[in-house]
């Protein structure tokens, strides 16, 4: 039911992170479309708006993790560090919002609570949590991939007398840990970054670890002016190389196989990538690390040895050394002095695998065996309902009243990770089964927005209004993404969010395309060259004359 106050726009954009900002630029500034955009937060930034926990930092070099669409922007912007911290990335996105005058299209502090397709007029109606409705021909979801924090699954969280803080929804006012007893649950990328910082000031920091992680050094350093000048001089080539790299970061020293070299040569390669930092061990050491268990074992053993070298107490080192699942099948965290935090007298590690967290109590946490840990602050770094969670939270109903939640009840079904059959004109920027979280996110976003915006140009040039994947194309894409994932070691991870395995009850399906960014882009180009193969393009229904 459309209320009388409903306004109709060409396009509606969800989110003011990297994706939503670029979508508004591409649609409004570059195409002169009438665009309305919504953001639940009170400012731009998306991930970098919400994740303000101490230590929050990007783990891809910002020369790569930044927009490429405007050469003047990338020439003028200066990053102070190789891997900048959250406040600097937020400043960058605020600068982008101002530079391209994007804020005026956004309603901030406004969440979309429902999106309904109206077949009669081929329009989407969005309902906001303020009770407003807006209609639009096109919807671009920039709702993100890691933006819906996993719900705390511990009974008693509400009874805790101290403060509960979520890394993914961190308070805006400064938090002091000085002299406090702090407990933290979770040792993924967020937990590892937060632990390294909180350990410096907390009176006592207790880390409740379930699955140890293969964290390796990020290798951060202040920007070197000569390196920066050289990169800016060759930026076009860098971007080109990124877009032609499997994971969208132009590292180029990968060797064919960890098993084809001697142990000494292997160690040399691992040492070099370890010392240079970034995701080099993951994607630029040996090409078979993610595909061959024996090759993977060599790197897993190497990382365990390095952890043991850094942690003084042997029992703590053993607890921190991951066993039982291959390296890289959970996204490897990057760190600075993370393992050294455990050498501080104020930091203790508690194994909650064998003895899980049973409940949060008024004073802290109780474990299954009855042990109590008392805290003033409890930090939950327990992850996200990745990839599908943000889209399902929009409460989407497509053609014939079919709900997206129903369509995806057995896991996501998309074509190209961008659209779903029965949900016309809805572009899911970095959606499930696209390279998204295994590509360099700003480039993944630009590629998706550009593809979608060009599809709109194509339709408009032909007097058409509706684009939708064919069910058969969707089925084939889902099967293809599964096949690619099964050729890797990824399905061997017990709890990875790549598979939805971190959320109890979530269908266990690969949420990401594993064929690499170049193969994905080649497929998208083929689809376009063949006249949007796999999609149905049509005109909107013409309402009957009264
Ligand atoms: P992650 O990587 O999903 O990590 C979540 C952590 O929380 C992980 O160590 C989990 O252990 C732990 N966790 C979750 N639930 C529990 C319970 N019930 N008990 C104990 N421990 C628990 O999330 P992050 O926010 O760190 O990182 C997400 C992505 O953001 C990251 O990969 C980057 O792309 C940026 P588990 O492994 O499930 O045993």
């Amino acid at each position: 039911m459309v209320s009388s106050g409903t306004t109709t726009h060409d396009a509606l954009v969800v989110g003011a992170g990297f994706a939503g900002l670029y979508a508004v630029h591409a649609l409004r500034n570059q195409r002169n479309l009438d665009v309305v955009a919504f953001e639940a937060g009170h400012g731009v930034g998306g991930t970098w708006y919400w994740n303000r926990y101490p230590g929050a930092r990007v783990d891809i070099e910002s020369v790569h993790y930044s927009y490429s669409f405007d050469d003047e922007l990338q020439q003028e912007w200066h990053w102070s560090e190789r891997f900048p911290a959250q406040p600097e990335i937020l400043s960058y996105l605020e600068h982008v919002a101002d530079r391209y005058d994007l804020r005026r299209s956004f309603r901030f502090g406004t969440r979309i609570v429902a999106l309904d397709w109206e077949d009669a007029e081929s329009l989407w109606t969005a309902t906001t949590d303020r009770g407003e409705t807006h209609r639009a021909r096109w919807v671009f979801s920039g709702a993100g991939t890691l933006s819906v924090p996993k719900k705390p699954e511990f009974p008693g969280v509400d009874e805790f007398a101290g403060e509960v803080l979520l890394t993914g929804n961190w308070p805006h006012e400064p938090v002091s840990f000085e002299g406090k007893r702090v407990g933290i649950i979770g040792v993924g990328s967020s937990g590892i970054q937060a632990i390294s910082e909180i350990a410096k000031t907390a009176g006592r920091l207790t880390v409740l670890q379930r699955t140890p992680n293969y964290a390796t050094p990020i290798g951060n350093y202040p920007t070197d002016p000569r390196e920066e000048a050289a990169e800016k001089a060759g930026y076009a080539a860098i971007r080109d190389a990124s877009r032609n790299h499997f994971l969208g970061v132009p590292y180029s020293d990968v060797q064919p196989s960890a098993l084809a070299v001697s142990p000494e040569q292997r160690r040399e390669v691992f040492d070099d990538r370890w010392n240079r930092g970034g995701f080099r061990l993951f994607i630029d050491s040996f090409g078979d690390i993610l595909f061959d268990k024996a090759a993977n074992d060599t790197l897993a053993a190497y990382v365990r040895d390095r952890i043991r070298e850094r942690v003084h107490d042997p029992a703590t080192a053993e607890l921190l050394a991951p066993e039982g699942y291959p390296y890289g099948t959970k996204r490897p965290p990057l760190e600075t002095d993370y393992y050294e935090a455990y050498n501080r007298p104020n930091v203790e590690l508690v194994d909650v695998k064998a003895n899980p967290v049973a409940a949060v109590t008024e004073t802290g946490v109780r474990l299954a065996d009855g042990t109590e840990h008392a805290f003033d602050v409890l930090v939950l770094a327990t992850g996200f309902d990745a990839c599908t969670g943000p889209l399902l939270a929009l409460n989407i109903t497509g053609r014939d009243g079919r709900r997206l939640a129903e369509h995806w009840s057995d896991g996501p079904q998309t074509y190209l990770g961008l659209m779903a059959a029965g949900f016309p004109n809805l572009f899911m920027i970095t959606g499930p089964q696209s390279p998204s979280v295994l590509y360099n996110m700003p480039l993944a976003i630009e590629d998706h927005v550009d593809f979608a915006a060009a599809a709109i140009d194509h339709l408009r040039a032909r007097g058409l209004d509706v684009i939708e994947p064919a069910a058969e194309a969707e089925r084939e894409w889902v099967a293809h993404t599964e096949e690619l994932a099964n050729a890797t070691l990824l399905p061997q991870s017990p709890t990875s969010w790549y598979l939805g395995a971190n959320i109890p009850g979530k269908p266990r399906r690969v949420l990401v395309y594993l064929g690499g960014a170049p193969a994905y882009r080649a497929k998208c180009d083929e689809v376009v060259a063949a006249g949007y193969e796999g999609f149905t393009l049509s005109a909107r229904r013409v309402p009957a004359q009264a």
Side-chain angles (χ1 to χ4, degrees):
M1 180 72 185
V2 174
S3 79
S4 53
T6 303
T7 34
T8 302
H9 311 269
D10 294 323
L12 186 145
V13 171
V14 184
F18 268 96
L21 291 176
Y22 181 57
V24 171
H25 180 61
L27 297 170
R28 193 200 72 192
N29 294 351
Q30 295 179 340
R31 289 176 174 77
N32 206 23
L33 296 183
D34 166 28
V35 178
V36 64
F38 297 90
E39 166 56 55
H42 292 278
V44 303
T47 287
W48 303 104
Y49 173 91
W50 298 104
N51 288 266
R52 294 163 185 254
Y53 60 84
R57 185 177 293 284
V58 66
D59 51 18
I60 291 179
E61 296 88 334
S62 276
V63 59
H64 310 308
Y65 185 92
S66 50
Y67 288 120
S68 72
F69 68 85
D70 181 349
D71 191 46
E72 278 179 21
L73 170 67
Q74 63 188 13
Q75 292 298 333
E76 285 169 25
W77 185 262
H78 165 73
W79 297 104
S80 70
E81 292 179 278
R82 198 71 185 151
F83 298 88
Q86 171 269 334
E88 191 168 344
I89 307 166
L90 185 58
S91 302
Y92 170 76
L93 290 169
E94 286 170 345
H95 169 79
V96 167
D98 292 335
R99 185 176 181 120
Y100 304 99
D101 187 24
L102 302 173
R103 290 180 208 263
R104 70 180 160 88
S105 290
F106 279 92
R107 314 276 172 114
F108 291 100
T110 307
R111 192 179 282 280
I112 300 292
V113 294
L115 268 173
D116 296 279
W117 174 253
E118 288 170 52
D119 215 24
E121 297 191 59
S122 300
L123 290 173
W124 284 98
T125 298
T127 307
T128 74
D129 59 357
R130 294 167 180 253
E132 295 167 12
T133 47
H134 292 261
R135 300 205 298 177
R137 174 88 53 229
W138 320 101
V139 172
F140 280 58
S141 167
T145 49
L146 294 158
S147 52
V148 174
K150 177 175 164 178
K151 289 199 184 68
E153 57 196 348
F154 314 103
V157 172
D158 294 339
E159 263 106 84
F160 183 56
E163 222 178 340
V164 178
L165 302 175
L166 246 67
T167 50
N169 188 2
W170 197 261
H172 283 219
E173 51 287 353
V175 179
S176 167
F177 295 103
E178 207 79 42
K180 291 189 181 155
R181 297 165 304 170
V182 184
I184 181 164
I185 303 179
V187 291
S189 299
S190 308
I192 280 173
Q193 291 183 335
I195 290 162
S196 312
E197 279 306 306
I198 296 172
K200 293 176 185 168
T201 58
R204 179 146 199 84
L205 175 63
T206 304
V207 178
L208 302 160
Q209 171 190 271
R210 189 163 65 184
T211 312
N213 233 319
Y214 293 95
T216 60
I218 193 167
N220 194 20
Y221 54 88
T223 297
D224 169 349
R226 273 178 311 180
E227 185 178 31
E228 185 184 23
E231 284 171 346
K232 286 187 173 174
Y235 227 143
I238 289 177
R239 298 300 197 176
D240 199 46
S242 293
R243 285 198 154 88
N244 284 302
H245 184 281
F246 193 88
L247 288 163
V249 185
Y251 299 153
S252 57
D253 291 332
V254 69
Q255 314 280 310
S257 168
L259 305 175
V261 294
S262 70
E264 294 72 28
Q265 287 166 323
R266 201 159 50 220
R267 170 92 198 190
E268 223 171 89
V269 169
F270 289 155
D271 281 346
D272 173 74
R273 309 301 188 263
W274 173 279
N275 293 333
R276 287 160 68 201
F279 279 121
R280 286 191 175 81
L281 276 167
F282 184 40
I283 58 172
D284 204 37
S285 57
F286 294 102
D288 50 358
I289 293 295
L290 269 185
F291 297 90
D292 184 310
K293 179 68 169 47
N296 191 290
D297 285 346
T298 65
L299 180 48
Y302 173 84
V303 176
R304 280 194 290 275
D305 286 349
R306 300 299 308 250
I307 293 171
R308 290 182 186 116
E309 284 167 19
R310 291 170 64 182
V311 180
H312 297 163
D313 173 48
T316 305
E318 276 326 296
L319 265 185
L320 287 166
E323 291 273 8
Y325 70 96
Y327 166 91
T329 56
K330 287 160 74 91
R331 191 173 182 280
L334 301 183
E335 50 80 35
T336 303
D337 295 340
Y338 169 63
Y339 292 106
E340 285 71 16
Y342 295 94
N343 297 333
R344 290 173 176 269
N346 63 330
V347 177
E348 79 173 320
L349 180 65
V350 173
D351 178 12
V352 297
K353 185 164 221 130
N355 185 18
V357 175
V360 177
T361 65
E362 201 184 328
T363 54
V365 159
R366 187 172 60 245
L367 305 185
D369 71 352
T371 314
E372 304 255 358
H373 291 273
F375 302 128
D376 303 307
V377 183
L378 179 61
V379 177
L380 297 179
T382 42
F384 297 89
D385 184 354
C387 301
T388 51
L391 286 153
L392 292 172
L394 294 175
N395 191 13
I396 298 170
T397 306
R399 209 186 272 292
D400 302 325
R402 184 159 168 82
R403 294 173 47 71
L404 188 66
E406 205 181 310
H407 189 53
W408 287 4
S409 58
D410 195 27
Q413 304 199 58
T414 72
Y415 180 44
L416 303 178
L418 182 64
M419 299 193 84
F423 299 84
N425 291 3
L426 168 64
F427 299 102
M428 301 178 288
I429 305 307
T430 68
Q433 295 157 345
S434 77
S436 72
V437 290
L438 277 177
Y439 187 13
N440 174 0
M441 200 47 104
L443 302 190
I445 284 166
E446 288 178 346
D447 289 357
H448 259 185
V449 170
D450 290 345
F451 180 96
I456 293 175
D457 294 342
H458 179 89
L459 289 162
R460 284 159 63 93
R462 287 158 183 76
L464 302 173
D465 317 273
V466 180
I467 178 167
E468 179 183 355
E472 185 54 27
E474 184 179 86
R475 260 193 302 280
E476 282 172 13
W477 185 253
V478 175
H480 178 52
T481 57
E482 297 265 324
E483 196 186 341
L484 288 168
N486 288 334
T488 73
L489 300 173
L490 215 69
Q492 294 187 26
S493 166
T495 59
S496 178
W497 59 257
Y498 287 149
L499 302 166
N502 63 328
I503 304 285
K506 184 165 174 170
R508 202 183 161 109
R509 285 293 161 107
V510 64
L511 297 172
V512 62
Y513 170 85
L514 276 146
Y520 178 78
R521 288 176 48 249
K523 168 71 182 173
C524 290
D525 290 347
E526 275 170 35
V527 165
V528 173
Y532 290 86
E533 189 176 34
F535 290 102
T536 307
L537 315 182
S538 56
R540 69 174 175 273
R541 295 205 182 157
V542 180
Q545 296 295 314

